[in-house]
Amino acid sequence: MTATPIRLLLVDDDPLVRAGLALMMGGSGDIEIVGEAADGDQVEDAVQRTRPDVVLMDIRMPSVDGLTATRSLRERADAPEVVVLTTFHADEQVLHALRAGAAGFVLKDTPPAAIVDAVRRVAAGEPVLSPAVTRQLMRHAAGTAADSRQERARERLTALGDRERQVAVAVGRGLANAQIAAELFMSVATVKTHVSRILAKLGLNNRVQIALLAYDAGLLDEDGH
């Protein structure tokens, strides 16, 4: 039995970029391009029409930027996952995209196979960050360790139990569920349950936002990673 293809919506104002992405993704065998949009103001309608599983979203567009479109999209009850794809990787752009609810942030110079893999992983519920982006987030965490963001983040994390906190730190380090299970000596199903509880308790959208909160709270520094 053939697995159901991942339904993908492409959003980029450059038709050549969209054509290249469509060629790259369409040749993967398990990803179906269900639609395209040339600006952020077209995203809501395109999602309504095509019902994608994942949206590959550019940041800089003429009318409505990708960050605004992502934030609006993630407010929907049936929101698809969003992977932000851009040539820019300034710290603030990364943070704004992830805080808007994006499940991943991939640079356009990422190898094609890695972009395809990013879509697959996000569709499977695993967040994706380019290694360069992860390093930037670590620098951001170090740079804001003494400010009020850390205090607010730590206050929010008091809602978690000890094991949930350990899982949150592991998510922040970018570990997949199977890796977390092995490291913390629990089943993958238990890890998934903890992640779901963390999201519910903290009112977060996805695992990337758990990671951001762990960064902000300085937990990764404490953990020695």
Side-chain angles (χ1 to χ4, degrees), residues 16-51:
L16 289 178
V17 171
R18 292 200 308 275
L21 289 171
L23 188 64
M24 180 197 312
M25 296 294 173
S28 67
D30 60 344
I31 297 174
E32 177 187 0
I33 308 300
V34 295
E36 298 182 11
D39 206 330
D41 60 1
Q42 302 172 10
V43 172
E44 290 271 3
D45 180 61
V47 166
Q48 190 69 30
R49 284 186 290 102
T50 63
R51 301 292 182 182

Side-chain angles (χ1 to χ4, degrees), residues 57-144:
M57 180 93 72
D58 189 22
I59 281 189
R60 294 200 173 182
M61 292 181 285
S63 299
V64 175
D65 65 79
L67 303 182
T68 302
T70 296
R71 189 174 297 107
S72 177
L73 196 57
R74 291 300 299 171
E75 289 174 354
R76 295 169 57 108
D78 57 347
E81 297 294 350
V82 177
V83 177
V84 171
L85 181 66
T86 184
T87 55
F88 303 96
H89 52 87
D91 289 358
E92 286 307 306
Q93 292 280 29
V94 176
L95 292 166
H96 287 324
L98 300 180
R99 292 188 195 286
F105 190 109
V106 182
L107 303 181
K108 284 183 178 177
D109 60 4
T110 300
I115 297 177
V116 172
D117 182 60
V119 170
R120 289 177 178 143
R121 287 176 58 190
V122 166
E126 295 284 351
V128 176
L129 297 176
S130 296
V133 171
T134 301
R135 287 194 295 273
Q136 286 183 325
L137 289 176
M138 292 296 289
R139 285 199 299 271
H140 164 80
T144 60

